[in-house]
Coordinates of all heavy atoms in Angstrom, one line a residue:
M1 N 37.0 -21.4 38.2 CA 37.0 -21.1 36.9 C 35.7 -21.6 36.2 O 35.2 -20.9 35.4 CB 38.3 -21.8 36.3 CG 38.4 -21.5 34.8 SD 38.7 -19.7 34.6 CE 39.3 -19.6 33.0
L2 N 35.3 -22.7 36.7 CA 34.0 -23.3 36.2 C 32.8 -22.4 36.5 O 31.8 -22.3 35.7 CB 33.9 -24.8 36.6 CG 32.7 -25.7 36.0 CD1 32.9 -25.6 34.5 CD2 32.7 -26.9 36.5
A3 N 32.8 -21.9 37.7 CA 31.8 -21.1 38.2 C 31.7 -19.8 37.4 O 30.6 -19.3 37.0 CB 32.1 -20.7 39.7
I4 N 32.8 -19.2 36.9 CA 32.9 -18.0 36.2 C 32.2 -18.3 34.7 O 31.5 -17.5 34.2 CB 34.3 -17.4 36.0 CG1 34.8 -17.0 37.4 CG2 34.5 -16.3 35.0 CD1 36.2 -16.6 37.4
L5 N 32.7 -19.4 34.2 CA 32.0 -19.8 32.9 C 30.5 -20.0 33.0 O 29.7 -19.7 32.1 CB 32.6 -21.1 32.4 CG 34.1 -21.0 31.9 CD1 34.7 -22.3 31.5 CD2 34.2 -20.0 30.7
A6 N 30.0 -20.6 34.1 CA 28.6 -20.9 34.4 C 27.8 -19.5 34.5 O 26.8 -19.2 34.0 CB 28.4 -21.7 35.5
V7 N 28.4 -18.5 35.2 CA 27.9 -17.2 35.3 C 27.8 -16.5 34.1 O 26.9 -15.9 33.6 CB 28.8 -16.4 36.4 CG1 28.2 -14.9 36.4 CG2 28.5 -17.0 37.7
V8 N 29.0 -16.6 33.2 CA 28.9 -15.9 31.9 C 27.8 -16.6 31.0 O 27.1 -15.8 30.2 CB 30.3 -16.0 31.2 CG1 30.2 -15.6 29.8 CG2 31.3 -15.2 32.0
A9 N 27.7 -17.9 31.1 CA 26.7 -18.5 30.2 C 25.3 -18.1 30.7 O 24.4 -17.9 29.8 CB 26.8 -20.1 30.3
V10 N 25.0 -18.0 31.9 CA 23.7 -17.6 32.4 C 23.4 -16.2 32.0 O 22.3 -15.9 31.5 CB 23.6 -17.7 34.0 CG1 22.4 -17.1 34.4 CG2 23.6 -19.3 34.3
L11 N 24.4 -15.3 32.2 CA 24.2 -13.9 31.7 C 24.0 -13.7 30.2 O 23.1 -12.9 29.8 CB 25.5 -13.1 32.1 CG 25.6 -12.8 33.7 CD1 27.0 -12.1 33.9 CD2 24.4 -12.1 34.2
G12 N 24.8 -14.6 29.4 CA 24.4 -14.5 27.9 C 23.0 -15.0 27.6 O 22.4 -14.4 26.8
L13 N 22.6 -16.0 28.4 CA 21.2 -16.5 28.1 C 20.2 -15.5 28.5 O 19.2 -15.3 27.8 CB 20.9 -17.9 28.9 CG 19.7 -18.5 28.7 CD1 19.3 -19.0 27.3 CD2 19.4 -19.7 29.7
L14 N 20.4 -14.8 29.6 CA 19.5 -13.8 30.2 C 19.4 -12.7 29.2 O 18.4 -12.0 28.9 CB 19.9 -13.4 31.6 CG 19.5 -14.3 32.7 CD1 20.0 -13.8 34.0 CD2 18.0 -14.5 32.8
S15 N 20.6 -12.2 28.6 CA 20.7 -11.0 27.7 C 20.0 -11.4 26.4 O 19.3 -10.5 25.8 CB 22.1 -10.6 27.5 OG 22.9 -11.6 26.7
S16 N 20.0 -12.6 25.9 CA 19.3 -12.9 24.7 C 17.9 -12.9 25.0 O 17.0 -12.5 24.1 CB 19.9 -14.3 24.2 OG 19.4 -15.3 25.0
V17 N 17.5 -13.4 26.1 CA 15.9 -13.4 26.4 C 15.5 -12.0 26.6 O 14.4 -11.6 26.1 CB 15.7 -14.2 27.7 CG1 14.3 -14.0 28.2 CG2 15.9 -15.7 27.5
V18 N 16.2 -11.1 27.2 CA 15.8 -9.7 27.4 C 15.8 -9.1 26.1 O 14.8 -8.3 25.9 CB 16.7 -9.0 28.5 CG1 16.5 -7.5 28.4 CG2 16.5 -9.7 29.9
S19 N 16.8 -9.2 25.3 CA 16.8 -8.5 24.0 C 15.6 -9.0 23.1 O 15.0 -8.2 22.4 CB 18.2 -8.7 23.3 OG 18.3 -10.0 23.0
Q20 N 15.3 -10.3 23.2 CA 14.1 -10.8 22.4 C 12.9 -10.1 23.0 O 12.0 -9.8 22.2 CB 14.0 -12.3 22.5 CG 12.9 -12.8 21.7 CD 12.9 -12.6 20.3 OE1 14.1 -12.6 19.8 NE2 11.8 -12.6 19.6
G21 N 12.7 -9.8 24.2 CA 11.6 -9.2 24.8 C 11.5 -7.8 24.3 O 10.4 -7.3 24.0
F22 N 12.6 -7.1 24.2 CA 12.6 -5.7 23.6 C 12.0 -5.7 22.2 O 11.3 -4.8 21.9 CB 13.9 -5.0 23.7 CG 14.3 -4.6 25.1 CD1 15.6 -4.9 25.6 CD2 13.5 -4.0 25.9 CE1 16.0 -4.5 26.9 CE2 13.8 -3.6 27.3 CZ 15.2 -3.9 27.7
V23 N 12.5 -6.6 21.5 CA 12.1 -6.7 20.0 C 10.6 -6.9 20.0 O 9.8 -6.2 19.2 CB 12.8 -7.8 19.3 CG1 12.2 -8.1 18.0 CG2 14.2 -7.5 19.1
E24 N 10.1 -7.9 20.7 CA 8.6 -8.1 20.8 C 7.8 -6.9 21.2 O 6.8 -6.7 20.7 CB 8.3 -9.4 21.7 CG 8.9 -10.7 21.1 CD 8.6 -11.9 22.0 OE1 8.3 -11.6 23.2 OE2 9.0 -13.0 21.7
V25 N 8.4 -6.2 22.2 CA 7.7 -5.0 22.7 C 7.5 -4.0 21.6 O 6.6 -3.3 21.3 CB 8.3 -4.4 23.9 CG1 7.8 -3.0 24.3 CG2 8.1 -5.3 25.1
A26 N 8.7 -3.7 20.9 CA 8.7 -2.8 19.8 C 7.6 -3.1 18.7 O 7.0 -2.4 18.1 CB 10.1 -2.7 19.3
E27 N 7.7 -4.4 18.4 CA 6.7 -5.0 17.3 C 5.3 -4.7 17.8 O 4.4 -4.3 17.0 CB 7.0 -6.5 17.0 CG 8.2 -6.7 16.3 CD 8.6 -8.2 16.1 OE1 7.9 -9.0 16.7 OE2 9.5 -8.5 15.4
A28 N 5.0 -5.0 19.1 CA 3.7 -4.9 19.6 C 3.3 -3.3 19.6 O 2.1 -3.0 19.4 CB 3.6 -5.4 21.0
E29 N 4.2 -2.5 19.9 CA 3.9 -1.0 19.8 C 3.6 -0.6 18.4 O 2.7 0.2 18.3 CB 5.0 -0.2 20.5 CG 5.2 -0.4 22.0 CD 6.4 0.3 22.5 OE1 7.3 0.6 21.8 OE2 6.4 0.4 23.8
A30 N 4.4 -1.1 17.5 CA 4.2 -0.7 16.2 C 2.8 -1.2 15.6 O 2.0 -0.5 14.9 CB 5.3 -1.3 15.2
E31 N 2.4 -2.5 16.0 CA 1.1 -3.0 15.8 C -0.1 -2.2 16.3 O -1.1 -1.8 15.8 CB 1.0 -4.4 16.2 CG -0.3 -5.1 15.7 CD -0.4 -6.6 16.1 OE1 0.6 -7.2 16.7 OE2 -1.5 -7.2 15.7
Q32 N 0.2 -1.8 17.6 CA -0.7 -0.9 18.3 C -1.1 0.4 17.6 O -2.2 0.8 17.5 CB -0.3 -0.6 19.7 CG -1.4 0.2 20.4 CD -0.9 0.5 21.9 OE1 0.2 0.2 22.3 NE2 -1.7 1.2 22.7
R33 N 0.1 1.1 17.1 CA -0.1 2.3 16.4 C -0.8 2.1 15.1 O -1.8 3.0 14.8 CB 1.3 2.9 16.1 CG 2.0 3.7 17.2 CD 3.1 4.4 16.7 NE 4.3 3.6 16.1 CZ 5.1 2.8 16.9 NH1 5.2 3.0 18.1 NH2 6.0 2.2 16.1
Q34 N -0.6 1.0 14.4 CA -1.3 0.7 13.2 C -2.8 0.4 13.5 O -3.7 1.0 12.7 CB -0.6 -0.6 12.4 CG -1.3 -0.9 11.2 CD -0.7 -2.2 10.6 OE1 0.2 -2.8 11.2 NE2 -1.2 -2.5 9.5
L35 N -3.1 -0.3 14.5 CA -4.5 -0.5 14.8 C -5.2 0.8 15.2 O -6.4 1.0 14.9 CB -4.6 -1.7 15.9 CG -4.1 -2.9 15.5 CD1 -4.1 -4.0 16.6 CD2 -5.1 -3.6 14.5
E36 N -4.5 1.7 15.9 CA -5.1 2.9 16.4 C -5.4 3.8 15.1 O -6.5 4.4 15.0 CB -4.2 3.7 17.3 CG -4.2 3.0 18.7 CD -3.2 3.7 19.6 OE1 -2.3 4.4 19.2 OE2 -3.2 3.4 20.9
E37 N -4.6 3.8 14.1 CA -4.8 4.6 13.0 C -6.0 4.0 12.1 O -6.8 4.7 11.7 CB -3.5 4.5 12.0 CG -2.3 5.3 12.5 CD -1.1 5.1 11.7 OE1 -1.1 4.4 10.7 OE2 -0.1 5.7 12.2
E38 N -6.1 2.7 12.1 CA -7.1 2.0 11.4 C -8.5 2.3 12.1 O -9.5 2.5 11.5 CB -6.9 0.4 11.4 CG -8.0 -0.4 10.7 CD -8.2 -0.2 9.2 OE1 -7.3 0.4 8.7 OE2 -9.2 -0.6 8.7
K39 N -8.4 2.2 13.5 CA -9.6 2.6 14.3 C -10.1 4.1 13.9 O -11.3 4.3 13.9 CB -9.3 2.4 15.8 CG -10.5 2.8 16.7 CD -10.0 2.7 18.1 CE -11.1 3.3 19.0 NZ -10.7 3.5 20.4
A40 N -9.2 5.0 13.9 CA -9.5 6.3 13.6 C -10.1 6.5 12.2 O -11.2 7.3 12.0 CB -8.3 7.3 13.7
R41 N -9.6 5.7 11.2 CA -10.1 5.8 9.9 C -11.5 5.3 9.8 O -12.4 5.8 9.2 CB -9.2 5.0 9.0 CG -9.5 5.1 7.4 CD -8.8 4.2 6.6 NE -9.1 2.7 6.9 CZ -10.1 2.0 6.5 NH1 -11.0 2.7 5.7 NH2 -10.2 0.8 6.7
L42 N -11.7 4.1 10.6 CA -13.1 3.5 10.6 C -14.0 4.4 11.3 O -15.3 4.5 10.9 CB -13.0 2.2 11.2 CG -12.3 1.1 10.4 CD1 -12.1 -0.2 11.3 CD2 -13.1 0.8 9.1
E43 N -13.6 5.1 12.4 CA -14.5 6.1 13.1 C -15.0 7.2 12.1 O -16.0 7.7 12.2 CB -13.9 6.6 14.4 CG -13.7 5.5 15.4 CD -13.0 6.0 16.7 OE1 -12.3 6.9 16.7 OE2 -13.1 5.3 17.7
R44 N -13.9 7.7 11.4 CA -14.3 8.8 10.4 C -15.3 8.3 9.5 O -16.3 9.0 9.0 CB -13.2 9.3 9.7 CG -12.3 10.2 10.6 CD -11.1 10.8 9.9 NE -10.3 10.0 9.1 CZ -9.2 9.3 9.5 NH1 -8.7 9.6 10.8 NH2 -8.4 8.6 8.7
R45 N -15.2 7.0 9.0 CA -16.1 6.5 7.9 C -17.5 6.3 8.6 O -18.5 6.5 7.9 CB -15.6 5.1 7.5 CG -16.5 4.5 6.4 CD -15.7 3.4 5.7 NE -16.6 2.9 4.6 CZ -17.1 1.7 4.5 NH1 -16.6 0.7 5.3 NH2 -17.8 1.3 3.5
I46 N -17.5 5.8 9.9 CA -18.9 5.7 10.5 C -19.4 7.1 10.6 O -20.8 7.1 10.4 CB -18.7 5.0 11.9 CG1 -18.3 3.6 11.8 CG2 -19.8 5.3 12.8 CD1 -17.9 2.9 13.0
E47 N -18.8 8.1 10.9 CA -19.4 9.5 10.9 C -20.0 9.9 9.8 O -21.1 10.4 9.6 CB -18.4 10.4 11.6 CG -17.9 10.3 12.9 CD -16.8 11.2 13.4 OE1 -16.4 12.0 12.5 OE2 -16.4 11.2 14.5
R48 N -19.2 9.6 8.6 CA -19.7 10.0 7.2 C -21.0 9.3 6.9 O -21.9 9.7 6.4 CB -18.7 9.7 6.2 CG -17.6 10.8 6.2 CD -16.7 10.6 4.9 NE -16.3 9.2 4.6 CZ -15.1 8.8 5.1 NH1 -14.3 9.5 5.8 NH2 -14.7 7.5 4.8
L49 N -21.0 7.9 7.2 CA -22.2 7.1 7.0 C -23.4 7.5 7.9 O -24.5 7.5 7.3 CB -21.9 5.6 7.2 CG -20.9 4.9 6.2 CD1 -20.5 3.5 6.6 CD2 -21.5 4.9 4.8
E50 N -23.1 7.9 9.1 CA -24.2 8.3 9.9 C -24.8 9.6 9.4 O -26.1 9.8 9.6 CB -23.7 8.5 11.3 CG -23.5 7.2 12.1 CD -22.9 7.4 13.5 OE1 -22.4 8.4 13.8 OE2 -23.0 6.3 14.2
A51 N -23.9 10.5 8.9 CA -24.4 11.7 8.4 C -25.3 11.5 7.1 O -26.2 12.2 6.9 CB -23.3 12.7 8.1
T52 N -24.8 10.5 6.3 CA -25.7 10.1 5.2 C -26.9 9.5 5.5 O -28.1 9.9 5.0 CB -24.9 9.0 4.3 OG1 -23.6 9.5 4.0 CG2 -25.7 8.6 3.1
L53 N -27.0 8.8 6.6 CA -28.3 8.2 7.1 C -29.2 9.4 7.6 O -30.4 9.4 7.4 CB -28.1 7.2 8.3 CG -27.7 5.9 7.8 CD1 -27.3 5.0 9.0 CD2 -28.8 5.2 6.9
A54 N -28.5 10.3 8.3 CA -29.4 11.4 8.9 C -30.0 12.2 7.7 O -31.0 12.9 7.8 CB -28.5 12.3 9.8
A55 N -29.2 12.4 6.6 CA -29.7 13.1 5.4 C -30.8 12.5 4.7 O -31.4 13.1 3.9 CB -28.4 13.4 4.6
A56 N -31.0 11.1 5.0 CA -32.0 10.5 4.3 C -33.4 11.1 4.4 O -34.3 10.8 3.7 CB -32.1 9.0 4.7
D57 N -33.7 11.8 5.6 CA -35.0 12.4 5.7 C -35.0 13.8 5.2 O -36.2 14.4 5.1 CB -35.2 12.5 7.3 CG -35.4 11.2 7.9 OD1 -35.7 10.2 7.3 OD2 -35.0 11.1 9.2
D58 N -34.0 14.4 4.7 CA -34.0 15.7 4.1 C -34.1 15.6 2.6 O -33.2 15.1 1.9 CB -32.6 16.4 4.4 CG -32.6 17.8 4.0 OD1 -33.6 18.5 3.6 OD2 -31.4 18.4 4.1
P59 N -35.3 16.2 2.0 CA -35.4 16.1 0.7 C -34.3 16.8 -0.2 O -34.0 16.3 -1.4 CB -36.8 16.7 0.4 CG -37.4 16.8 1.7 CD -36.4 16.8 2.7
E60 N -33.7 17.9 0.2 CA -32.8 18.6 -0.4 C -31.5 17.7 -0.5 O -30.7 17.6 -1.5 CB -32.5 20.0 0.2 CG -33.5 20.9 0.0 CD -33.2 22.2 0.7 OE1 -32.1 22.4 1.0 OE2 -34.2 23.1 0.7
A61 N -31.2 17.0 0.6 CA -30.0 16.2 0.6 C -30.2 15.0 -0.3 O -29.3 14.6 -1.1 CB -29.6 15.6 2.0
I62 N -31.3 14.4 -0.4 CA -31.7 13.3 -1.4 C -31.5 13.8 -2.7 O -30.8 13.1 -3.6 CB -33.1 12.8 -1.1 CG1 -33.1 12.1 0.3 CG2 -33.5 11.8 -2.1 CD1 -34.5 11.8 0.7
E63 N -32.0 14.9 -3.1 CA -31.9 15.5 -4.5 C -30.4 15.7 -4.8 O -30.0 15.4 -5.8 CB -32.7 16.8 -4.6 CG -32.5 17.3 -5.9 CD -33.3 18.8 -6.1 OE1 -34.0 19.1 -5.2 OE2 -33.0 19.3 -7.1
S64 N -29.6 16.3 -3.9 CA -28.2 16.5 -4.0 C -27.5 15.3 -4.4 O -26.7 15.2 -5.2 CB -27.7 17.2 -2.9 OG -26.3 17.5 -3.0
M65 N -27.8 14.2 -3.6 CA -27.1 12.9 -3.7 C -27.5 12.3 -5.1 O -26.7 11.7 -5.8 CB -27.3 12.0 -2.6 CG -26.6 12.4 -1.3 SD -26.8 11.2 0.0 CE -28.3 10.6 0.1
A66 N -28.8 12.4 -5.5 CA -29.2 11.8 -6.8 C -28.5 12.6 -7.9 O -28.2 11.9 -8.9 CB -30.7 12.0 -6.8
R67 N -28.4 13.9 -7.8 CA -27.8 14.6 -8.9 C -26.4 14.3 -9.0 O -25.8 14.1 -10.1 CB -28.0 16.2 -8.6 CG -29.3 16.7 -8.9 CD -29.4 18.2 -8.4 NE -30.7 18.8 -8.8 CZ -30.9 19.3 -9.9 NH1 -30.0 19.4 -10.9 NH2 -32.0 19.8 -10.2
A68 N -25.6 14.1 -7.9 CA -24.2 13.9 -7.8 C -23.8 12.5 -8.2 O -23.0 12.3 -9.0 CB -23.6 14.3 -6.5
E69 N -24.5 11.5 -7.7 CA -24.2 10.0 -7.8 C -24.8 9.5 -9.0 O -24.3 8.6 -9.6 CB -24.6 9.4 -6.6 CG -23.6 9.9 -5.4 CD -24.0 9.0 -4.1 OE1 -24.6 7.9 -4.2 OE2 -23.6 9.5 -3.0
L70 N -26.0 9.9 -9.3 CA -26.9 9.2 -10.4 C -27.0 10.1 -11.7 O -27.4 9.6 -12.7 CB -28.2 8.9 -10.0 CG -28.2 8.0 -8.7 CD1 -29.7 7.7 -8.2 CD2 -27.6 6.6 -9.0
G71 N -26.5 11.4 -11.5 CA -26.6 12.3 -12.7 C -28.0 12.6 -13.1 O -28.3 13.1 -14.2
W72 N -29.0 12.7 -12.1 CA -30.3 13.0 -12.4 C -30.5 14.5 -12.5 O -29.7 15.3 -12.0 CB -31.3 12.6 -11.1 CG -31.4 11.1 -11.2 CD1 -30.9 10.1 -11.9 CD2 -32.3 10.4 -10.3 NE1 -31.3 9.0 -11.5 CE2 -32.2 9.0 -10.6 CE3 -33.2 10.8 -9.3 CZ2 -33.0 8.1 -9.9 CZ3 -33.9 9.8 -8.6 CH2 -33.8 8.5 -8.9
I73 N -31.5 14.9 -13.3 CA -31.9 16.3 -13.6 C -33.3 16.5 -13.3 O -34.1 15.5 -13.4 CB -31.4 16.8 -15.0 CG1 -32.1 16.0 -16.0 CG2 -29.9 16.6 -15.1 CD1 -31.9 16.6 -17.5
R74 N -33.7 17.7 -13.1 CA -35.3 18.0 -13.0 C -35.7 18.1 -14.3 O -35.1 18.6 -15.3 CB -35.4 19.3 -12.2 CG -35.1 19.1 -10.8 CD -35.4 20.6 -10.2 NE -35.3 20.4 -8.6 CZ -35.3 21.5 -7.9 NH1 -35.6 22.7 -8.3 NH2 -35.3 21.4 -6.5
P75 N -37.1 18.0 -14.5 CA -37.7 18.2 -15.8 C -37.5 19.7 -16.2 O -37.7 20.6 -15.5 CB -39.2 17.8 -15.5 CG -39.2 17.0 -14.3 CD -38.0 17.4 -13.5
G76 N -37.2 19.8 -17.5 CA -37.0 21.2 -18.0 C -35.6 21.7 -17.9 O -35.2 22.6 -18.6
E77 N -34.7 21.0 -17.2 CA -33.2 21.3 -17.2 C -32.6 20.9 -18.3 O -32.9 19.9 -19.0 CB -32.6 20.9 -15.9 CG -33.1 21.5 -14.6 CD -32.4 21.0 -13.4 OE1 -31.9 19.8 -13.4 OE2 -32.3 21.8 -12.4
Q78 N -31.6 21.6 -18.7 CA -30.7 21.1 -19.9 C -29.3 20.8 -19.3 O -28.8 21.5 -18.5 CB -30.6 22.2 -20.9 CG -31.9 22.5 -21.6 CD -31.7 23.5 -22.8 OE1 -30.7 24.1 -22.9 NE2 -32.7 23.6 -23.5
V79 N -28.8 19.7 -19.9 CA -27.4 19.3 -19.4 C -26.5 19.8 -20.5 O -26.7 19.4 -21.6 CB -27.3 17.8 -19.1 CG1 -26.0 17.4 -18.7 CG2 -28.4 17.4 -18.0
I80 N -25.4 20.4 -20.1 CA -24.4 20.9 -21.0 C -23.1 20.0 -20.6 O -22.6 20.1 -19.5 CB -24.0 22.3 -20.9 CG1 -25.3 23.1 -21.2 CG2 -22.9 22.7 -21.7 CD1 -25.2 24.6 -21.0
I81 N -22.7 19.3 -21.6 CA -21.5 18.4 -21.3 C -20.3 19.1 -22.0 O -20.3 19.3 -23.2 CB -21.7 16.9 -21.7 CG1 -22.8 16.4 -21.0 CG2 -20.4 16.2 -21.6 CD1 -23.1 15.0 -21.5
L82 N -19.3 19.6 -21.3 CA -18.1 20.1 -21.8 C -17.0 19.1 -22.0 O -16.6 18.4 -21.2 CB -17.6 21.2 -21.0 CG -18.6 22.4 -20.6 CD1 -17.9 23.3 -19.5 CD2 -19.0 23.1 -21.8
A83 N -16.6 18.9 -23.3 CA -15.6 18.0 -23.7 C -14.3 18.7 -23.9 O -14.2 19.7 -24.6 CB -16.0 17.1 -24.8
T84 N -13.2 18.2 -23.4 CA -11.9 18.8 -23.6 C -11.3 18.0 -24.7 O -11.3 16.8 -24.8 CB -11.0 18.7 -22.4 OG1 -10.9 17.4 -21.9 CG2 -11.6 19.6 -21.3
P85 N -10.8 18.8 -25.7 CA -10.3 18.0 -26.9 C -9.0 17.2 -26.5 O -8.2 17.6 -25.6 CB -9.9 19.1 -27.9 CG -9.7 20.3 -27.1 CD -10.7 20.2 -25.9
T86 N -8.8 16.2 -27.2 CA -7.6 15.2 -26.9 C -6.4 15.9 -27.8 O -6.7 16.0 -29.0 CB -7.8 13.8 -27.3 OG1 -9.0 13.4 -26.6 CG2 -6.6 13.0 -27.0
P87 N -5.4 16.1 -27.2 CA -4.2 16.8 -28.0 C -3.7 15.7 -29.0 O -3.6 14.5 -28.7 CB -3.1 17.1 -26.9 CG -3.5 16.3 -25.7 CD -4.9 16.0 -25.7
S88 N -3.5 16.2 -30.2 CA -3.0 15.3 -31.2 C -1.6 14.8 -30.9 O -0.8 15.6 -30.3 CB -3.0 15.9 -32.6 OG -2.1 17.1 -32.5
T89 N -1.2 13.6 -31.4 CA 0.1 13.1 -31.2 C 1.1 13.9 -32.2 O 0.7 14.2 -33.3 CB 0.2 11.6 -31.4 OG1 -0.2 11.3 -32.7 CG2 -0.7 10.9 -30.3
P90 N 2.3 14.2 -31.6 CA 3.2 14.9 -32.5 C 3.7 14.0 -33.6 O 3.7 12.8 -33.4 CB 4.3 15.3 -31.6 CG 4.3 14.3 -30.5 CD 2.8 13.9 -30.3
P91 N 4.0 14.5 -34.8 CA 4.4 13.7 -35.9 C 5.8 13.0 -35.5 O 6.5 13.5 -34.8 CB 4.6 14.6 -37.0 CG 4.7 16.0 -36.4 CD 3.9 16.0 -35.1
A92 N 5.9 11.8 -36.0 CA 7.2 11.1 -35.8 C 8.3 12.0 -36.4 O 8.3 12.5 -37.5 CB 7.1 9.7 -36.3
L93 N 9.5 11.8 -35.7 CA 10.7 12.5 -36.2 C 11.3 11.8 -37.4 O 11.4 10.5 -37.4 CB 11.7 12.7 -35.1 CG 11.4 13.5 -33.9 CD1 12.5 13.3 -32.8 CD2 11.2 14.9 -34.4
T94 N 11.5 12.4 -38.4 CA 12.1 11.8 -39.7 C 13.6 12.3 -39.7 O 14.1 13.0 -38.9 CB 11.3 12.2 -40.8 OG1 11.3 13.6 -41.0 CG2 9.9 11.8 -40.7
G95 N 14.1 12.0 -40.9 CA 15.5 12.2 -41.2 C 15.7 13.7 -41.4 O 16.8 14.2 -41.4
D96 N 14.7 14.4 -41.7 CA 14.8 15.9 -41.9 C 14.8 16.8 -40.6 O 13.8 17.4 -40.3 CB 13.7 16.5 -42.8 CG 13.6 15.6 -44.2 OD1 14.8 15.2 -44.6 OD2 12.6 15.5 -44.7
L97 N 15.8 16.6 -39.9 CA 15.9 17.3 -38.6 C 16.4 18.7 -38.8 O 17.4 18.8 -39.6 CB 16.8 16.5 -37.6 CG 16.2 15.2 -37.1 CD1 17.2 14.5 -36.2 CD2 14.9 15.4 -36.5
P98 N 16.1 19.7 -38.1 CA 16.8 21.0 -38.2 C 18.2 21.0 -37.8 O 18.6 20.2 -37.0 CB 15.9 21.9 -37.3 CG 15.1 21.0 -36.3 CD 15.1 19.6 -37.0
E99 N 19.0 21.9 -38.4 CA 20.4 22.0 -38.1 C 20.6 22.7 -36.7 O 20.0 23.7 -36.5 CB 21.1 22.7 -39.2 CG 22.5 22.6 -39.3 CD 23.1 21.2 -39.5 OE1 22.4 20.5 -40.1 OE2 24.2 21.0 -38.8
P100 N 21.4 22.2 -35.9 CA 21.6 22.8 -34.5 C 22.4 24.1 -34.7 O 23.2 24.3 -35.7 CB 22.5 21.8 -33.8 CG 23.0 20.9 -34.8 CD 22.1 20.9 -35.9
I101 N 22.1 25.1 -33.7 CA 22.8 26.4 -33.9 C 24.2 26.2 -33.6 O 25.1 26.8 -34.1 CB 22.0 27.4 -33.0 CG1 20.6 27.5 -33.4 CG2 22.7 28.6 -32.9 CD1 19.8 28.3 -32.5
L102 N 24.4 25.5 -32.7 CA 25.9 25.4 -32.1 C 26.2 23.8 -31.8 O 25.4 23.1 -31.3 CB 26.0 26.2 -30.8 CG 27.4 26.0 -30.0 CD1 28.5 26.7 -30.9 CD2 27.2 26.7 -28.7
R103 N 27.4 23.5 -32.3 CA 27.7 22.0 -32.0 C 29.0 22.1 -31.1 O 29.9 22.9 -31.3 CB 28.1 21.4 -33.4 CG 27.0 21.0 -34.3 CD 27.6 20.2 -35.5 NE 26.6 20.1 -36.5 CZ 25.8 19.0 -36.5 NH1 26.0 18.1 -35.7 NH2 24.8 18.9 -37.4
L104 N 29.0 21.1 -30.2 CA 30.1 21.1 -29.4 C 31.1 20.2 -29.9 O 30.9 19.2 -30.6 CB 29.7 20.4 -28.0 CG 28.7 21.2 -27.1 CD1 28.3 20.5 -25.9 CD2 29.2 22.5 -26.8
P105 N 32.4 20.5 -29.8 CA 33.5 19.7 -30.4 C 33.6 18.3 -29.9 O 33.2 17.9 -28.9 CB 34.8 20.5 -30.1 CG 34.5 21.5 -29.1 CD 33.0 21.7 -29.0

């Protein structure tokens, strides 16, 4: 009888160790996926930065970046700024509310 209890205790200990190992593996896999996504994001950023560096020798690219980022214009050009009107706030509701067409009982 004592041997059976010892075997059950050892099996219980082994199962808890194994289940903890599965949890750690799942956490490690989730972290690996997260790191791979971060790596891909950083690689895309590096490609964009390298393209920017490569464009540093191209006068048209420099002009395009100056126009877009700094708002520069060429001499003689005119800038037209289109402003959209801000909608006015509706008047506050007062006690003079319209009468409803139909009232529910």
Side-chain angles (χ1 to χ4, degrees):
M1 185 65 164
L2 188 58
I4 294 175
L5 288 175
V7 169
V8 169
V10 168
L11 289 176
L13 179 64
L14 287 176
S15 68
S16 68
V17 169
V18 169
S19 65
Q20 180 64 28
F22 286 135
V23 169
E24 290 175 357
V25 167
E27 289 173 352
E29 288 174 347
E31 184 180 2
Q32 180 183 7
R33 281 190 303 276
Q34 181 183 3
L35 290 172
E36 287 173 350
E37 291 171 2
E38 179 71 9
K39 177 185 174 190
R41 186 186 68 77
L42 290 173
E43 286 174 344
R44 288 190 302 270
R45 183 166 184 234
I46 288 171
E47 289 174 3
R48 286 192 309 267
L49 291 173
E50 286 175 345
T52 303
L53 281 175
D57 296 333
D58 183 13
E60 290 179 11
I62 293 172
E63 179 182 348
S64 175
M65 289 189 317
R67 288 175 174 269
E69 295 179 16
L70 304 174
W72 287 9
I73 61 170
R74 286 184 174 174
E77 288 183 334
Q78 292 182 352
V79 176
I80 300 173
I81 300 175
L82 302 175
T84 56
T86 305
S88 62
T89 57
L93 294 176
T94 62
D96 300 332
L97 295 176
E99 193 64 31
I101 297 172
L102 176 64
R103 288 187 189 264
L104 296 176

